[in-house]
Amino acid sequence: MPDLIQKLPSDWPAFERQHVWHPYASMVKPIPAYPVASASGVRLKLEDGRQLIDGMSSWWSAIHGYNHPRLNAAAETQLADMSHVMFGGLTHRPAAELAARLIELTPAPLNRVFFSDSGSVAVEVALKMALQYWQARGETRRTRFLSFRGGYHGDTIGAMAVSDPENGLHSLFSGTLTQQLFAPRPPSRASAAFDSRQLEQLRKTATDHREELAGIIIEPLVQGAGGMHFYHPDYLRELRQLCDQQGLLLIFDEIATGFGRTGSLFATEQAGVVPDIICLGKALTGGYMSLAATLTREAVASGICQGDPGVFMHGPTFMANPLACAVASASIDLLLESPWRARVQTIEQGLQAGLIPVSELPGVADVRVLGAIGVVEMKQPLDVTRTQAALVERGVWLRPFGKLLYTMPPYIIDSNDLAHLTDTMCEVVELVAD
Ligand code: PMP
């Protein structure tokens, strides 16, 4: 056996540290990555035997916790049939089963489904759908998008171009990206009543650029990686009206908010509006594997296909991967059979009560909770390594970023674990806020 492989078993973390990239990480001065041996329920088990309560749901995705027997069984059953076949010229039941569920669950009339590999790609697909729709109608000048400051839609080039143009994630590439248009961040939900004048600048930009705009893209209710910012559902109602007035396609990126996280199955339900295109990902497979979907209305789909070249120009190798589709259907069934609404409400109450103790601390700028999302915003950026070490020492897994220490735990977390999670957050905030 080659040397490198033979040496590996005992020393794999050192090897990995030197050779494998992590998200937003340095290869020269990497911060620690904790080796995980297994995960079950709401617990991550580290290689050294320590167990951590997971407050991240692996970035919004593991809503049922880890190693769930129903999801394991769905994967195993599908594996025995086939793990993958190409989707070009072939089809399979797992794709149809999942499409039926998504059409049923998302607001009518979103009933044309495109499966892809990840959230970022689902956003690329949504943008391409809008572009091809206008192309097909002969409105070839409509090539730009209006988006929002503080927005985040993924790491691929097209998704980056509609994400906040100045935040740390994407500003480096601003010279390369397509120049899109940006409206101010929707005002915070905490700031009293909604006032439709809050959309004035947005309306002006949309009107001034109407002829070159293909659509507007937004994360409904919660801007996630751009600051865990919550805003009023009425904002989305006004936005829908604006799109109707100006003839623009409205794209909702529900990749983070979808499947119950904000208290409704989809955030869009709280506003009572339907977008023209919706992007889903993350919790779609209950965190088991990467899969995403972009849904649109029949009129948009047929509009795209009436123009030249008569087809939608996208087709990833792993499109509608059967293994992922089977697990996604099982995850949706599990969610719908569970008392998820009550669980999310209980988590919301637990987070509200549990995080209150730090809200008045001098180093804390804001504490906010929406559904099963709890956020402590500090006045200064957190030291990730130090904060994470303090959390891990206390048996909790969270990944702080910027000024934010936040949690979105699996829905199955019980009250003791939730209390330990919030107590630990408070303790660590006090510790690092000095
Ligand atoms: N949109 C939103 C709102 C997201 O939160 C994310 C992931 N953080 C993405 C898109 C990109 O998804 P992925 O990481 O699966 O490409």
Side-chain angles (χ1 to χ4, degrees):
M1 204 184 270
D3 215 29
L4 196 59
I5 302 173
Q6 230 171 13
K7 269 200 259 157
L8 198 56
S10 61
D11 205 19
W12 71 262
F15 168 84
E16 196 268 355
R17 191 175 157 88
Q18 200 177 358
H19 294 279
V20 183
W21 287 104
H22 280 256
Y24 300 102
S26 166
M27 288 236 88
V28 182
K29 275 196 204 162
I31 64 166
Y34 295 86
V36 182
S38 64
S40 182
V42 297
R43 281 185 168 64
L44 308 178
K45 191 170 174 198
L46 300 185
E47 287 270 343
D48 63 13
R50 284 184 290 175
Q51 298 215 9
L52 309 180
I53 296 173
D54 173 37
M56 294 301 286
S57 299
S58 283
W59 275 333
W60 313 81
S61 64
I63 53 175
H64 309 294
Y66 301 90
N67 213 348
H68 197 288
R70 283 271 295 273
L71 303 189
N72 289 0
E76 280 158 19
T77 306
Q78 183 54 43
L79 200 53
D81 288 340
M82 61 187 163
S83 59
H84 185 66
V85 289
M86 63 187 283
F87 211 49
L90 297 175
T91 190
H92 45 76
R93 194 170 178 94
E97 293 265 3
L98 179 56
R101 283 168 176 75
L102 295 180
I103 292 166
E104 192 84 41
L105 294 187
T106 54
L110 298 168
N111 60 9
R112 298 292 187 267
V113 188
F114 192 100
F115 290 115
S116 59
D117 342 48
S118 71
S120 302
V121 178
V123 169
E124 299 287 338
V125 166
L127 301 176
K128 281 172 80 171
M129 279 180 178
L131 292 174
Q132 260 199 260
Y133 174 77
W134 293 115
Q135 278 280 337
R137 290 169 68 104
E139 298 207 36
T140 51
R141 284 188 58 206
R142 289 186 182 259
T143 56
R144 298 182 81 185
F145 290 91
L146 177 52
S147 177
F148 293 83
R149 296 203 173 262
Y152 173 81
H153 299 285
D155 291 348
T156 52
I157 296 285
M160 279 203 293
V162 290
S163 299
D164 187 290
E166 276 162 23
N167 77 14
L169 295 182
H170 296 154
S171 55
L172 274 178
F173 304 97
S174 56
T176 317
L177 300 175
T178 311
Q179 294 303 299
Q180 309 291 14
L181 295 157
F182 290 91
R185 196 194 255 292
S188 158
R189 192 175 174 129
S191 57
F194 177 77
D195 179 347
S196 80
R197 281 173 302 186
Q198 291 168 345
L199 284 90
E200 242 155 49
Q201 201 176 328
L202 166 71
R203 282 196 196 96
K204 184 171 180 335
T205 312
T207 314
D208 290 352
H209 294 271
R210 183 182 178 276
E211 284 169 11
E212 51 172 339
L213 277 178
I216 298 185
I217 180 164
I218 192 165
E219 297 152 87
L221 290 195
V222 179
Q223 287 188 315
M228 303 299 287
H229 174 77
F230 306 153
Y231 64 91
H232 206 286
D234 283 352
Y235 192 94
L236 296 170
R237 243 168 260 154
E238 298 274 342
L239 188 60
R240 177 71 268 181
Q241 261 179 21
L242 174 66
C243 286
D244 291 343
Q245 281 157 8
Q246 302 293 350
L248 299 173
L249 294 177
L250 179 58
I251 304 169
F252 280 177
D253 175 350
E254 287 245 18
I255 288 161
T257 49
F259 302 100
R261 183 57 66 179
T262 64
S264 50
L265 204 47
F266 297 100
T268 179
E269 289 169 21
Q270 292 183 42
V273 298
V274 184
D276 300 295
I277 302 174
I278 197 168
C279 303
L280 307 174
K282 290 191 184 278
L284 175 59
T285 61
Y288 263 52
M289 51 197 87
S290 187
L291 181 73
T294 309
L295 278 80
T296 191
R297 297 187 280 117
E298 191 280 329
V300 175
S302 59
I304 290 168
C305 302
Q306 271 153 19
D308 205 25
V311 295
F312 180 54
M313 294 297 277
H314 206 93
T317 306
F318 286 98
M319 185 167 179
N321 172 253
L323 206 48
C325 286
V327 174
S329 287
S331 173
I332 289 171
D333 294 350
L334 190 58
L335 182 68
L336 298 181
E337 289 163 24
S338 75
W340 65 269
R341 224 179 263 279
R343 281 179 178 163
V344 169
Q345 249 171 33
T346 307
I347 294 172
E348 184 171 41
Q349 287 156 5
L351 290 172
Q352 266 157 357
L355 296 177
I356 275 181
V358 289
S359 56
E360 299 300 323
L361 285 184
V364 173
D366 188 34
V367 174
R368 51 187 179 271
V369 172
L370 177 68
I373 312 168
V375 183
V376 179
E377 182 167 342
M378 311 295 292
K379 290 185 180 149
Q380 301 297 329
L382 288 154
D383 176 331
V384 178
T385 305
R386 183 175 166 224
T387 311
Q388 214 150 46
L391 290 159
V392 168
E393 256 171 48
R394 291 161 177 79
V396 164
W397 178 247
L398 292 173
R399 181 169 161 100
F401 91 98
K403 296 177 184 166
L404 305 175
L405 185 64
Y406 66 105
T407 181
M408 53 284 202
Y411 303 161
I412 57 154
I413 194 166
D414 68 24
S415 54
N416 286 338
D417 285 345
L418 186 62
H420 183 68
L421 179 63
T422 53
D423 289 352
T424 303
M425 284 174 79
C426 293
E427 209 180 313
V428 170
V429 161
E430 280 200 59
L431 189 79
V432 298
D434 51 29

